[in-house]
Amino acid sequence: MTVITRFPPSPTGYLHIGSARTALFSWLYARKHGGRFVLRIEDTDRERSSEESVQEILDGMSWLGLDYDEGPYFQTQRMNRYQEVIDQLLDAGKAYHCYCTREELDEMREQQRARGDKPRYDGRCRHRSQPPQDIPPVVRFKNPLDGNVVIDDLVKGRITISNNELDDLIIARSDGTPTYNFTVVVDDMDMQITHVIRGDDHVNNTPRQINILKALGVEPPRYAHVPMILGEDGKRLSKRHGAVSVMQYRDDGYLPQALVNYLMRLGWSHGDQEIFTRQEMIDLFDISSVQRGSAVFNPEKLLWLNYEYIKAGKVDELRDHARWHFENAGINIDEQANWEEVFRVNQQRSKTLLELVDRSLFFFREIDGYDAKSVNKHFKGQAGEILVELRGQLEHVRSDWGK
RNA sequence: GCUCCCUUCGUCUAGUGGUUAGGACGCCGGCCUCUCACGUCGGUAACAGGGGUUCGAGUCCCCUAGGGAGCGCCA
C-alpha cells in the first residue's frame, strides 16, 4: 500500500506556523514511507478565500521546502463530484432533507443548553412527511443512533466516542453547497488518502467523518491528530503572540531549515539531538512518538536554532538566502568582491540574516554619516589624530586582509 | 453546561517499575581573549495534588484540580 498524506489549507490568510508544522509532519510521513504528498486547497468559503492567500501558502511551502506530488486541487472545482455523492447518500436513504429554520434550530439549542445538555440536532426532520414548499432544505447525514466510533489515533492512542453524542450534521447547505465535514470525506476518499495528519482540533470531527465514510462503504484512513501550538500564555497561538505567519519569519531573517527544524522538535524529540539535516528528519521522524499534549511556542529557542544554522552555514547558501535582504538594503551582494570574508566574520555574530546584512553593510558602501551621540562621546581630544594614524597603518595591512 | 483530549525544570523534552530524574533554550557565573563574538566549563530549576497496586512508582489504576479542543447552513 502506498502511503498518501495531504495538506488541506483554506486560503483565508497567511500560512500559519501551526498549519506549517502539520504540513511538515504530513510531508515527512509521506517522504519517510516513499509515499505521496497531496496539496488540496479548501476554498469552499468563497467569502473569505482569496487568490493572494493561495499564493502565500504556495510560497510558504516552497520556502520551507515542502514539495507536493499532487495538486494543488481546489475544492471549488469539485462541486459536481460533491453533488454526486450527496445524491447518492440521499438515494440510499442515508441522508435526508431538513426544513428546520434557523430560528427553530436556535430555539432548540437554547433549550438544550438550558437543560445542561450539549446542543445538537434532534433529528426531527428524519421522518417529515409533508415538506414545506417555501423553505429551501439543507441535507443532513443520518448519523447512526447507537454504538461507538473508535479511532486508533497514531498519536493520541485509542479514542472512543459514543454515537449518541453525535447528531445529524448538515452536509449540504440550503443553497446546495457542501459543507466542510463532507467535502473532506469525499476528497480524502477520492484522493485515496491513507493517513490523515491534522491538528487535534479535528478529533471531534473525526467520528462524524468516519460514519460518513462507512455509509459510503469506504474504509477510513488512519488518523494522527497532532496537538496545537500554544502561545506563551498557554492560549492557542495567534497574532497577538507575535509572528505566526511563516513568511514573516522569512522576512525577519530566519532560515527555512531552522524554522523547519524548530517546528519538528516542537512536540517531538530524538534523544538529545537538537539539530537535524533534512535527511535525518525524514529518517528519524516518527509520527507516533509525537507528544500528546500541546506545546508552547518558544521564540528564543527558534532564534538560537537560527543562529546555529547561520554559524554553521556555508557562505554561498547564506548568500542565497540573504540576497533579497541585501537588495532591500540597496546592495547587490553578487557584485561585492569580498563578500565571502565579510560573511565569515559576521556569521558567528548574527542571529538572523537581517543582522548579518546589517553588520555587513559598512563593508559594502561608503559611510554616509555618523551617530551624533557616539561622535560626541568618542571623537574628542586626540581621537582625530589617532584615527588618521590608524588609517595609515591599515593601508599597509590591506593586502593581508583575511589572512 | 456537555463530550473528547492533555498534565516531568519558566519553555521544548528524555524517561516505558529500582536513575544523584538526563539533555536543550533562557537566565546566572568561571575560563579563553587586545574589542565584539566563537568556543568551553559550571550553576539555577521539574515529576499538578490525593488515594491505591507493588518490596519499590515520574513510570500502572482511580479521584480531584488545572489546561486545551469541539458542540454552526466556518473551515
Side-chain angles (χ1 to χ4, degrees), chain A residues 378-401:
Chain A
H378 303 290
F379 282 17
K380 55 190 177 189
Q382 294 182 298
E385 297 163 36
I386 294 172
L387 284 173
V388 170
E389 170 68 16
L390 178 64
R391 182 182 174 176
Q393 302 280 350
L394 255 20
E395 294 288 338
H396 302 298
V397 298
R398 180 154 298 175
S399 58
D400 289 3
W401 171 256

Side-chain angles (χ1 to χ4, degrees), chain A residues 264-274 276 284-286 289-291:
Chain A
M264 183 189 66
R265 261 296 274 109
L266 193 62
W268 178 85
S269 64
H270 182 259
D272 291 338
Q273 189 169 350
E274 294 288 348
F276 301 80
L284 267 21
F285 181 74
D286 177 15
S289 55
V290 168
Q291 207 75 7

Side-chain angles (χ1 to χ4, degrees), chain A residues 150-160 223 225 288 292:
Chain A
V150 175
I151 311 166
D152 277 309
D153 195 278
L154 256 20
V155 346
K156 302 270 185 186
R158 173 162 294 199
I159 300 172
T160 305
Y223 293 92
H225 287 97
S288 63
R292 291 179 174 200

Side-chain angles (χ1 to χ4, degrees), chain A residues 117-141:
Chain A
D117 289 343
K118 174 201 277 193
R120 58 187 191 275
Y121 184 66
D122 59 9
R124 60 182 65 172
C125 281
R126 272 196 183 212
H127 306 292
R128 170 131 19 200
S129 50
Q130 290 164 311
Q133 293 304 110
D134 54 336
I135 299 175
V138 299
V139 178
R140 286 185 186 272
F141 171 70

Side-chain angles (χ1 to χ4, degrees), chain A residues 48 102 137 145 157 172 215 226 240 259 287 297 333 337 347 399 402:
Chain A
R48 298 192 298 147
R102 290 176 199 255
L145 270 4
V226 313
R240 64 197 160 82
L259 219 209
I287 191 73
F297 186 81
I333 192 62
Q347 72 181 126
S399 58

